[in-house]
Amino acid sequence: MARKVLLICGILAALLYIGSDILAALSWEGYSYTAQSVSELRAIGAPTRSFLMPILLIYTLLEIAFGFGVWRAATPGGLPKRSLRIAGALLIGLGVLDLIGPLFSLNLNEAAGSLANTIHVIVTAVTLLLLLLVIGFGATANGRWFRLYSYATILLFIVTGVWSFLELPRIAANLPTPWLGVRERMGIFGYMLWLAVFAIVLWRDQATTAAGRPPADAGTPRLMPR
């Protein structure tokens, strides 16, 4: 039961992140959901920072709890066990990084190329790398369909991430970035959807194991040695 509760935290984390992003954007008059980045909503000097910080702390705690759930849900023996444990450890590490993330927030009161904002970009890049690793190691959780879905999510994440980082020169020059918000959210929301599906897949596997259902090859005749 404890393991199932930890896995549900993955679904709650995804829903909380997406919901808080939408609510914060709606509460900031003049904020462009399509042209401005996600980081600006929680940036130093943003009117939505005080609203988002407590919510993101809860998200981070849910993320860490889910990481422990993934670790404990690892199936006995073979590559899936190793891969899921690595995915769980990466999720915990990602949560720890998110805990200290507010120390490296974007600062709207400084130039885009300032030291603080440069460090924020570096921390963001490390975060994105960890997300890709989580998806890659978690891809083994439930057969071929989930593996293909995970690879598609990785591809979406890479394309939108590179596309967003290409806007850095325009941001530094204080030029318009009409679709930056859309590009970022395509990748981030794609990951959040994958996280929720990952949690559901693992939760169902735990429920099946707890119910004591026989494996797929149960009842198959076996050759007896002579």
Side-chain angles (χ1 to χ4, degrees), residues 131-132 135-137 139 149-159:
L131 293 180
L132 287 174
I135 300 173
F137 283 104
Y149 169 56
S150 299
Y151 294 161
T153 303
I154 289 175
L155 179 60
L156 172 67
F157 208 73
I158 292 175
V159 170

Side-chain angles (χ1 to χ4, degrees), residues 31-212:
Y31 178 85
S32 174
Y33 203 69
T34 58
Q36 291 180 258
S37 70
V38 175
S39 298
E40 290 184 57
L41 290 172
R42 67 194 72 160
I44 298 172
T48 50
R49 181 177 173 84
S50 59
F51 165 73
L52 277 178
M53 286 298 100
I55 295 177
L56 292 177
L57 174 60
I58 297 173
Y59 163 81
T60 300
L61 295 177
L62 289 171
E63 182 180 42
I64 293 174
F66 180 56
F68 280 108
V70 174
W71 176 278
R72 295 186 61 183
T75 56
L79 181 62
K81 178 179 180 180
R82 194 179 311 121
S83 297
L84 288 182
R85 284 190 172 177
I86 293 174
L90 287 169
L91 279 166
I92 295 170
L94 187 59
V96 173
L97 181 60
D98 286 341
L99 279 177
I100 63 174
L103 299 176
F104 309 104
S105 295
L106 186 71
N107 194 325
L108 299 182
N109 300 320
E110 297 185 10
S114 68
L115 178 61
N117 288 335
T118 300
I119 294 175
H120 169 74
V121 172
I122 295 173
V123 172
T124 300
V126 173
T127 301
L128 297 181
L129 176 60
L130 288 175
L131 293 180
L132 287 174
L133 291 174
V134 168
I135 300 173
F137 283 104
T140 61
N142 194 263
R144 185 171 181 268
W145 78 269
F146 187 71
R147 188 164 57 251
L148 292 177
Y149 169 56
S150 299
Y151 294 161
T153 303
I154 289 175
L155 179 60
L156 172 67
F157 208 73
I158 292 175
V159 170
T160 56
V162 171
W163 199 8
S164 297
F165 272 98
L166 289 176
E167 293 285 3
L168 288 178
R170 296 184 63 84
I171 295 173
N174 201 25
L175 295 174
T177 53
W179 296 105
L180 177 61
V182 174
R183 298 171 194 173
E184 280 196 358
R185 287 176 173 88
M186 284 174 62
I188 294 174
F189 287 7
Y191 168 75
M192 292 300 164
L193 177 61
W194 178 89
L195 194 71
V197 174
F198 185 37
I200 293 171
V201 163
L202 293 179
W203 190 90
R204 290 181 62 185
D205 285 347
Q206 295 302 300
T208 300
T209 302

